[in-house]
Amino acid sequence: MIRMENVSKSYKNGVHALRDVNLYIGEGEFVYIIGPTGSGKSTLIKLLDGEEIPNTGEVHVAGIDVGRLKHKKVPIYRRNIGVVFQDFRLLPSLTIFENIAFALEVIGLDKVTIRRRVREVLELVSLSEKARSFPHELSGGQQQRATIGRAIANRPKVLIADEPTGNLDPEKSMEIMGLLEKINREQRTTIVMVTHDAQLVNRYKKRTIALEEGYVVADIQKGGYIAHD
Amino acid sequence: MISFFTVLGRHIKSAFLSLFRHVAMTISSSSAVTVTLILFAAFLLLAGNISKFTGNIESDFRIHVVLNQDQMQQEQFDSMHSQLLALEHVEKAEFSSKDQELELYIEEKGEAFALYRGDSPLGNAFFVTVDSGDNIETVTQQIKNLPGVSNATYGGDSVSQMVDILNTVRIGGLAFVALLTFLAVFLISNTIKISIYARNQEIAIMRNVGATNHYIKMPFMIEGMFIGIFGALLPCLLAYFGYEYLYNTMGGQIFTSAFRLLTPIPFGVEVCVVLVLFGALVGILGSSHAVNKYLKWVR
């Protein structure tokens, strides 16, 4: 589902974010990407999302060469993937219902289908009562669930989550994890989750890829957090 | 897949939502449109009337060509007619028989001359129309030199000077309107750019969830169009009712009938339509330009 070959990325300011990364993630997998701040996790997500272009190497997601997409084709590619952002990125002027509906409107679904699907998704992320609220009226955990709802609304093949539990207390984090596992299990959605929550990684053991200074330093199938010095 | 019109309906709906949810921005952008369009309206009204004045005066620009007394035969008239038409800048040459000439004379000087009816002492004549006031003098000279012509006259220097002045005013006014238009577009697109700046995050999010550039732009452009139209409403009303008031107070003319004003209907209405269309166009251009800038910001 995701294939990265010899991917390197450096920024104009001279920072080498990723160095010669080779990665293969199969369909239906649930993978953690861990690593300290500045290890290249965010860059990895931006490459998968099409927000950044690799300097060398290729990034393929769901059969699409993401690095070669034209500016105007990027949004169309993104319809295949769902991204959960750490900072939520909900449209502030739309209600939760409208926010999720928007992601379906842009891909051209009809009204009835959209309504049905949005209700389903709101049910799944337990936000049915908050449908008419605006993002700023919700707590962090609720907003995070809304973004997850939006990300999965069009049944993407891949769900990329950037620190989805980063702003939440442990109890809420477990709630989100439960939700992601459910999506992974029931929809067969491939999930790539960036985190540095050691507790979570140790508790819900999954394939774990560790990044450090732009290199992949570990890829452990059985999972568990790796201590850094 | 859904039809184009359903999508358009959604865009219009979201444009309206946004107009109301960003009321402050709507008002500030609209008032930028309003201020410039009021000035624009004043100049449109002025320029339109000056055009009319010049047209009025120019239509009075006929050369009165009086023939010699020996010119009495129809063949002579025909040949004179074709000679006149052969001259450069001559658009029209109308024959006026000596009897018709007498009638005109009576009309001008009074019934006392009615005695001459049936035996007009005047010569046969032509009224020659030239293409523009600038050429009237040379044409008159040329006609005077034609054999068989007794005299050729027109309004004189004062009239052609008036045309010169009006032409200058008209061209100057046009240049001013062009400049004003440029300023208006700049001002409005800038205002909209500033207000969209606050929403660049929104545009980035739309791309994140898979909205194409075109899809993102549409509601902004519709929004811009409505901002332009809202902004044009006040200038439109001012222009129409203000002009109507002016027209009625002035009695439809300035000093003389040569300066007859254009009637509020249709002229005032035309100006209104131009203002609304112009406002809408500027709004669309302004917001399209502004959104483009932010679309390119993030991938």
Side-chain angles (χ1 to χ4, degrees), chain A residues 21-69:
Chain A
V21 171
N22 286 285
L23 212 56
Y24 177 84
I25 297 170
E27 199 177 339
E29 273 195 79
F30 194 137
V31 180
Y32 292 124
I33 309 274
I34 60 168
T37 308
S39 59
K41 301 184 307 266
S42 298
T43 302
L44 188 75
I45 288 213
K46 284 178 180 165
L47 288 172
L48 293 175
D49 186 26
E51 207 172 311
E52 295 287 353
I53 302 169
N55 298 115
T56 59
E58 287 180 8
V59 179
H60 290 267
V61 178
I64 295 161
D65 188 346
V66 183
R68 288 190 204 285
L69 286 172

Tab-separated table of all heavy atoms in Angstrom, chain A residues 21-69:
chain	number	residue	atom	x	y	z
A	21	VAL	N	15.509	6.623	3.041
A	21	VAL	CA	14.516	5.804	3.735
A	21	VAL	C	13.891	4.795	2.765
A	21	VAL	O	13.468	5.154	1.671
A	21	VAL	CB	13.420	6.697	4.351
A	21	VAL	CG1	12.257	5.857	4.877
A	21	VAL	CG2	14.003	7.564	5.446
A	22	ASN	N	13.893	3.533	3.157
A	22	ASN	CA	13.206	2.481	2.409
A	22	ASN	C	12.163	1.867	3.326
A	22	ASN	O	12.477	1.476	4.437
A	22	ASN	CB	14.178	1.404	1.944
A	22	ASN	CG	15.022	1.907	0.800
A	22	ASN	OD1	14.552	2.025	-0.331
A	22	ASN	ND2	16.274	2.253	1.101
A	23	LEU	N	10.941	1.816	2.819
A	23	LEU	CA	9.854	1.403	3.689
A	23	LEU	C	8.795	0.703	2.862
A	23	LEU	O	8.498	1.114	1.747
A	23	LEU	CB	9.252	2.671	4.316
A	23	LEU	CG	8.677	2.602	5.712
A	23	LEU	CD1	9.719	2.081	6.686
A	23	LEU	CD2	8.223	3.999	6.126
A	24	TYR	N	8.243	-0.381	3.423
A	24	TYR	CA	7.117	-0.996	2.751
A	24	TYR	C	6.047	-1.294	3.789
A	24	TYR	O	6.306	-1.935	4.800
A	24	TYR	CB	7.550	-2.279	2.028
A	24	TYR	CG	6.374	-2.963	1.381
A	24	TYR	CD1	5.937	-2.555	0.121
A	24	TYR	CD2	5.687	-3.977	2.038
A	24	TYR	CE1	4.831	-3.132	-0.463
A	24	TYR	CE2	4.571	-4.554	1.470
A	24	TYR	CZ	4.146	-4.131	0.220
A	24	TYR	OH	3.054	-4.698	-0.349
A	25	ILE	N	4.866	-0.807	3.552
A	25	ILE	CA	3.757	-1.065	4.471
A	25	ILE	C	2.627	-1.688	3.656
A	25	ILE	O	2.177	-1.117	2.655
A	25	ILE	CB	3.282	0.233	5.155
A	25	ILE	CG1	4.426	0.811	6.014
A	25	ILE	CG2	2.056	-0.026	6.028
A	25	ILE	CD1	4.167	2.192	6.550
A	26	GLY	N	2.203	-2.886	4.060
A	26	GLY	CA	1.195	-3.623	3.291
A	26	GLY	C	-0.220	-3.197	3.616
A	26	GLY	O	-0.471	-2.431	4.557
A	27	GLU	N	-1.149	-3.699	2.839
A	27	GLU	CA	-2.548	-3.366	3.008
A	27	GLU	C	-3.065	-3.883	4.353
A	27	GLU	O	-2.753	-5.003	4.759
A	27	GLU	CB	-3.353	-3.981	1.862
A	27	GLU	CG	-4.703	-3.337	1.697
A	27	GLU	CD	-5.450	-3.911	0.500
A	27	GLU	OE1	-4.795	-4.478	-0.393
A	27	GLU	OE2	-6.686	-3.784	0.479
A	28	GLY	N	-3.832	-3.047	5.037
A	28	GLY	CA	-4.451	-3.466	6.286
A	28	GLY	C	-3.531	-3.446	7.491
A	28	GLY	O	-3.931	-3.819	8.589
A	29	GLU	N	-2.300	-2.992	7.313
A	29	GLU	CA	-1.363	-2.944	8.452
A	29	GLU	C	-1.675	-1.758	9.364
A	29	GLU	O	-2.301	-0.782	8.943
A	29	GLU	CB	0.078	-2.803	7.940
A	29	GLU	CG	0.751	-4.139	7.621
A	29	GLU	CD	2.256	-3.971	7.491
A	29	GLU	OE1	2.935	-3.890	8.540
A	29	GLU	OE2	2.752	-3.899	6.352
A	30	PHE	N	-1.222	-1.877	10.606
A	30	PHE	CA	-1.298	-0.757	11.556
A	30	PHE	C	0.132	-0.535	12.038
A	30	PHE	O	0.717	-1.411	12.664
A	30	PHE	CB	-2.219	-1.128	12.731
A	30	PHE	CG	-2.625	0.052	13.582
A	30	PHE	CD1	-3.943	0.178	14.010
A	30	PHE	CD2	-1.717	1.025	13.966
A	30	PHE	CE1	-4.334	1.263	14.805
A	30	PHE	CE2	-2.098	2.094	14.752
A	30	PHE	CZ	-3.420	2.215	15.169
A	31	VAL	N	0.698	0.619	11.680
A	31	VAL	CA	2.110	0.848	11.929
A	31	VAL	C	2.308	2.121	12.750
A	31	VAL	O	1.666	3.132	12.484
A	31	VAL	CB	2.870	0.989	10.583
A	31	VAL	CG1	4.346	1.237	10.818
A	31	VAL	CG2	2.665	-0.243	9.726
A	32	TYR	N	3.210	2.018	13.743
A	32	TYR	CA	3.605	3.230	14.468
A	32	TYR	C	4.885	3.773	13.862
A	32	TYR	O	5.784	3.011	13.517
A	32	TYR	CB	3.942	2.917	15.933
A	32	TYR	CG	2.783	2.494	16.804
A	32	TYR	CD1	2.848	1.286	17.487
A	32	TYR	CD2	1.684	3.310	16.978
A	32	TYR	CE1	1.836	0.890	18.325
A	32	TYR	CE2	0.650	2.916	17.817
A	32	TYR	CZ	0.720	1.708	18.487
A	32	TYR	OH	-0.285	1.322	19.308
A	33	ILE	N	4.959	5.084	13.767
A	33	ILE	CA	6.234	5.717	13.442
A	33	ILE	C	6.629	6.480	14.699
A	33	ILE	O	5.885	7.353	15.155
A	33	ILE	CB	6.108	6.730	12.284
A	33	ILE	CG1	5.398	6.124	11.073
A	33	ILE	CG2	7.473	7.319	11.934
A	33	ILE	CD1	6.251	5.367	10.120
A	34	ILE	N	7.769	6.097	15.283
A	34	ILE	CA	8.188	6.780	16.507
A	34	ILE	C	9.548	7.430	16.299
A	34	ILE	O	10.235	7.160	15.315
A	34	ILE	CB	8.257	5.819	17.717
A	34	ILE	CG1	9.270	4.704	17.428
A	34	ILE	CG2	6.889	5.260	18.035
A	34	ILE	CD1	9.621	3.884	18.651
A	35	GLY	N	9.907	8.268	17.208
A	35	GLY	CA	11.200	8.941	17.124
A	35	GLY	C	11.126	10.266	17.836
A	35	GLY	O	10.041	10.829	18.004
A	36	PRO	N	12.282	10.774	18.271
A	36	PRO	CA	12.297	12.045	18.992
A	36	PRO	C	11.960	13.214	18.074
A	36	PRO	O	11.922	13.059	16.856
A	36	PRO	CB	13.735	12.142	19.501
A	36	PRO	CG	14.531	11.294	18.573
A	36	PRO	CD	13.622	10.215	18.105
A	37	THR	N	11.751	14.360	18.663
A	37	THR	CA	11.474	15.571	17.891
A	37	THR	C	12.619	15.841	16.917
A	37	THR	O	13.781	15.717	17.281
A	37	THR	CB	11.331	16.779	18.844
A	37	THR	OG1	10.388	16.426	19.841
A	37	THR	CG2	10.857	18.000	18.103
A	38	GLY	N	12.293	16.170	15.678
A	38	GLY	CA	13.330	16.460	14.693
A	38	GLY	C	13.897	15.225	14.029
A	38	GLY	O	14.884	15.303	13.306
A	39	SER	N	13.262	14.074	14.249
A	39	SER	CA	13.800	12.849	13.647
A	39	SER	C	13.280	12.624	12.236
A	39	SER	O	13.738	11.730	11.539
A	39	SER	CB	13.447	11.646	14.537
A	39	SER	OG	12.043	11.555	14.672
A	40	GLY	N	12.336	13.448	11.807
A	40	GLY	CA	11.835	13.328	10.438
A	40	GLY	C	10.436	12.749	10.333
A	40	GLY	O	9.964	12.469	9.231
A	41	LYS	N	9.747	12.582	11.476
A	41	LYS	CA	8.405	12.002	11.446
A	41	LYS	C	7.426	12.880	10.650
A	41	LYS	O	6.673	12.382	9.807
A	41	LYS	CB	7.848	11.833	12.876
A	41	LYS	CG	8.683	10.947	13.774
A	41	LYS	CD	8.006	10.772	15.123
A	41	LYS	CE	7.623	12.046	15.806
A	41	LYS	NZ	8.529	12.636	16.752
A	42	SER	N	7.470	14.166	10.953
A	42	SER	CA	6.531	15.068	10.277
A	42	SER	C	6.796	15.124	8.780
A	42	SER	O	5.872	15.174	7.972
A	42	SER	CB	6.639	16.475	10.852
A	42	SER	OG	6.302	16.436	12.204
A	43	THR	N	8.088	15.121	8.423
A	43	THR	CA	8.454	15.141	7.004
A	43	THR	C	7.931	13.892	6.313
A	43	THR	O	7.410	13.963	5.194
A	43	THR	CB	9.979	15.242	6.850
A	43	THR	OG1	10.420	16.413	7.517
A	43	THR	CG2	10.377	15.301	5.400
A	44	LEU	N	8.052	12.769	6.993
A	44	LEU	CA	7.553	11.519	6.431
A	44	LEU	C	6.066	11.645	6.103
A	44	LEU	O	5.606	11.265	5.027
A	44	LEU	CB	7.782	10.386	7.438
A	44	LEU	CG	7.473	8.989	6.916
A	44	LEU	CD1	8.569	8.534	5.973
A	44	LEU	CD2	7.320	7.998	8.053
A	45	ILE	N	5.322	12.224	7.032
A	45	ILE	CA	3.880	12.412	6.811
A	45	ILE	C	3.616	13.369	5.660
A	45	ILE	O	2.775	13.136	4.819
A	45	ILE	CB	3.214	12.918	8.102
A	45	ILE	CG1	3.189	11.766	9.098
A	45	ILE	CG2	1.823	13.473	7.826
A	45	ILE	CD1	2.031	11.743	10.013
A	46	LYS	N	4.392	14.452	5.620
A	46	LYS	CA	4.205	15.430	4.545
A	46	LYS	C	4.497	14.817	3.177
A	46	LYS	O	3.888	15.197	2.173
A	46	LYS	CB	5.093	16.654	4.779
A	46	LYS	CG	4.529	17.557	5.866
A	46	LYS	CD	5.433	18.741	6.133
A	46	LYS	CE	4.832	19.626	7.216
A	46	LYS	NZ	5.823	20.571	7.752
A	47	LEU	N	5.444	13.893	3.142
A	47	LEU	CA	5.745	13.225	1.875
A	47	LEU	C	4.596	12.305	1.463
A	47	LEU	O	4.225	12.238	0.297
A	47	LEU	CB	7.046	12.414	1.989
A	47	LEU	CG	8.333	13.233	2.049
A	47	LEU	CD1	9.513	12.331	2.365
A	47	LEU	CD2	8.580	13.983	0.756
A	48	LEU	N	4.038	11.606	2.453
A	48	LEU	CA	2.928	10.698	2.158
A	48	LEU	C	1.684	11.480	1.734
A	48	LEU	O	0.915	11.043	0.887
A	48	LEU	CB	2.593	9.838	3.387
A	48	LEU	CG	3.653	8.819	3.806
A	48	LEU	CD1	3.235	8.125	5.102
A	48	LEU	CD2	3.893	7.792	2.709
A	49	ASP	N	1.529	12.655	2.307
A	49	ASP	CA	0.361	13.493	2.080
A	49	ASP	C	0.475	14.315	0.783
A	49	ASP	O	-0.481	14.896	0.319
A	49	ASP	CB	0.244	14.441	3.295
A	49	ASP	CG	-1.028	15.268	3.241
A	49	ASP	OD1	-1.990	14.802	2.618
A	49	ASP	OD2	-1.046	16.367	3.802
A	50	GLY	N	1.687	14.338	0.222
A	50	GLY	CA	1.897	15.115	-0.996
A	50	GLY	C	2.174	16.574	-0.725
A	50	GLY	O	2.206	17.384	-1.633
A	51	GLU	N	2.392	16.920	0.543
A	51	GLU	CA	2.648	18.309	0.887
A	51	GLU	C	4.091	18.697	0.550
A	51	GLU	O	4.382	19.851	0.269
A	51	GLU	CB	2.378	18.504	2.379
A	51	GLU	CG	1.983	19.905	2.761
A	51	GLU	CD	1.540	19.990	4.218
A	51	GLU	OE1	0.695	19.157	4.642
A	51	GLU	OE2	2.045	20.843	4.917
A	52	GLU	N	4.979	17.694	0.607
A	52	GLU	CA	6.373	17.919	0.248
A	52	GLU	C	6.775	16.929	-0.843
A	52	GLU	O	6.181	15.853	-0.975
A	52	GLU	CB	7.294	17.722	1.475
A	52	GLU	CG	7.081	18.725	2.591
A	52	GLU	CD	7.612	20.118	2.260
A	52	GLU	OE1	8.272	20.279	1.216
A	52	GLU	OE2	7.351	21.043	3.062
A	53	ILE	N	7.800	17.298	-1.596
A	53	ILE	CA	8.308	16.436	-2.670
A	53	ILE	C	9.690	15.939	-2.259
A	53	ILE	O	10.514	16.732	-1.794
A	53	ILE	CB	8.420	17.232	-3.987
A	53	ILE	CG1	7.043	17.802	-4.358
A	53	ILE	CG2	8.961	16.374	-5.115
A	53	ILE	CD1	7.073	18.808	-5.470
A	54	PRO	N	9.963	14.631	-2.393
A	54	PRO	CA	11.299	14.140	-2.004
A	54	PRO	C	12.368	14.673	-2.954
A	54	PRO	O	12.112	14.887	-4.129
A	54	PRO	CB	11.172	12.620	-2.122
A	54	PRO	CG	10.046	12.395	-3.064
A	54	PRO	CD	9.112	13.546	-2.885
A	55	ASN	N	13.580	14.894	-2.410
A	55	ASN	CA	14.692	15.320	-3.269
A	55	ASN	C	15.123	14.171	-4.167
A	55	ASN	O	15.370	14.349	-5.343
A	55	ASN	CB	15.880	15.773	-2.417
A	55	ASN	CG	15.529	16.967	-1.562
A	55	ASN	OD1	15.519	16.882	-0.340
A	55	ASN	ND2	15.225	18.075	-2.212
A	56	THR	N	15.228	13.003	-3.563
A	56	THR	CA	15.539	11.808	-4.353
A	56	THR	C	14.623	10.686	-3.888
A	56	THR	O	14.049	10.741	-2.809
A	56	THR	CB	17.004	11.368	-4.151
A	56	THR	OG1	17.199	11.108	-2.754
A	56	THR	CG2	17.979	12.422	-4.610
A	57	GLY	N	14.523	9.657	-4.725
A	57	GLY	CA	13.699	8.508	-4.372
A	57	GLY	C	12.243	8.684	-4.740
A	57	GLY	O	11.844	9.739	-5.245
A	58	GLU	N	11.477	7.630	-4.479
A	58	GLU	CA	10.067	7.660	-4.883
A	58	GLU	C	9.158	7.296	-3.721
A	58	GLU	O	9.495	6.458	-2.892
A	58	GLU	CB	9.840	6.654	-6.015
A	58	GLU	CG	10.424	7.141	-7.327
A	58	GLU	CD	10.209	6.145	-8.448
A	58	GLU	OE1	9.472	5.144	-8.237
A	58	GLU	OE2	10.770	6.373	-9.526
A	59	VAL	N	7.997	7.946	-3.693
A	59	VAL	CA	6.981	7.639	-2.691
A	59	VAL	C	5.726	7.170	-3.427
A	59	VAL	O	5.169	7.909	-4.235
A	59	VAL	CB	6.634	8.892	-1.853
A	59	VAL	CG1	5.554	8.563	-0.831
A	59	VAL	CG2	7.874	9.442	-1.172
A	60	HIS	N	5.346	5.927	-3.196
A	60	HIS	CA	4.129	5.420	-3.819
A	60	HIS	C	3.107	5.113	-2.741
A	60	HIS	O	3.402	4.411	-1.782
A	60	HIS	CB	4.419	4.124	-4.592
A	60	HIS	CG	5.248	4.367	-5.823
A	60	HIS	ND1	4.680	4.569	-7.048
A	60	HIS	CD2	6.587	4.455	-5.991
A	60	HIS	CE1	5.648	4.765	-7.944
A	60	HIS	NE2	6.815	4.701	-7.325
A	61	VAL	N	1.897	5.667	-2.919
A	61	VAL	CA	0.807	5.350	-1.994
A	61	VAL	C	-0.383	4.912	-2.838
A	61	VAL	O	-0.788	5.632	-3.759
A	61	VAL	CB	0.421	6.561	-1.126
A	61	VAL	CG1	-0.743	6.207	-0.210
A	61	VAL	CG2	1.613	7.034	-0.310
A	62	ALA	N	-0.899	3.745	-2.540
A	62	ALA	CA	-2.053	3.196	-3.274
A	62	ALA	C	-1.822	3.265	-4.785
A	62	ALA	O	-2.712	3.600	-5.559
A	62	ALA	CB	-3.330	3.949	-2.895
A	63	GLY	N	-0.585	2.970	-5.192
A	63	GLY	CA	-0.271	2.910	-6.621
A	63	GLY	C	-0.009	4.252	-7.269
A	63	GLY	O	0.153	4.334	-8.490
A	64	ILE	N	0.025	5.346	-6.481
A	64	ILE	CA	0.247	6.668	-7.057
A	64	ILE	C	1.636	7.174	-6.663
A	64	ILE	O	2.037	7.076	-5.506
A	64	ILE	CB	-0.833	7.663	-6.580
A	64	ILE	CG1	-2.200	7.226	-7.114
A	64	ILE	CG2	-0.527	9.083	-7.041
A	64	ILE	CD1	-3.365	7.815	-6.392
A	65	ASP	N	2.343	7.693	-7.666
A	65	ASP	CA	3.668	8.253	-7.416
A	65	ASP	C	3.478	9.668	-6.873
A	65	ASP	O	3.327	10.636	-7.618
A	65	ASP	CB	4.463	8.276	-8.728
A	65	ASP	CG	5.919	8.675	-8.505
A	65	ASP	OD1	6.239	9.173	-7.410
A	65	ASP	OD2	6.716	8.477	-9.434
A	66	VAL	N	3.473	9.783	-5.552
A	66	VAL	CA	3.067	11.023	-4.898
A	66	VAL	C	4.015	12.183	-5.201
A	66	VAL	O	3.596	13.324	-5.359
A	66	VAL	CB	2.945	10.813	-3.375
A	66	VAL	CG1	2.441	12.077	-2.698
A	66	VAL	CG2	2.015	9.661	-3.071
A	67	GLY	N	5.300	11.873	-5.329
A	67	GLY	CA	6.288	12.936	-5.539
A	67	GLY	C	6.171	13.615	-6.887
A	67	GLY	O	6.651	14.727	-7.078
A	68	ARG	N	5.524	12.939	-7.841
A	68	ARG	CA	5.446	13.518	-9.187
A	68	ARG	C	4.108	14.187	-9.482
A	68	ARG	O	3.859	14.602	-10.612
A	68	ARG	CB	5.674	12.415	-10.233
A	68	ARG	CG	7.106	11.949	-10.288
A	68	ARG	CD	7.332	11.060	-11.486
A	68	ARG	NE	8.470	10.167	-11.257
A	68	ARG	CZ	9.730	10.582	-11.294
A	68	ARG	NH1	10.010	11.818	-11.586
A	68	ARG	NH2	10.703	9.720	-11.055
A	69	LEU	N	3.257	14.290	-8.482
A	69	LEU	CA	1.942	14.893	-8.709
A	69	LEU	C	2.064	16.386	-8.980
A	69	LEU	O	2.859	17.075	-8.362
A	69	LEU	CB	1.055	14.691	-7.483
A	69	LEU	CG	0.508	13.290	-7.246
A	69	LEU	CD1	-0.177	13.246	-5.886
A	69	LEU	CD2	-0.461	12.894	-8.333
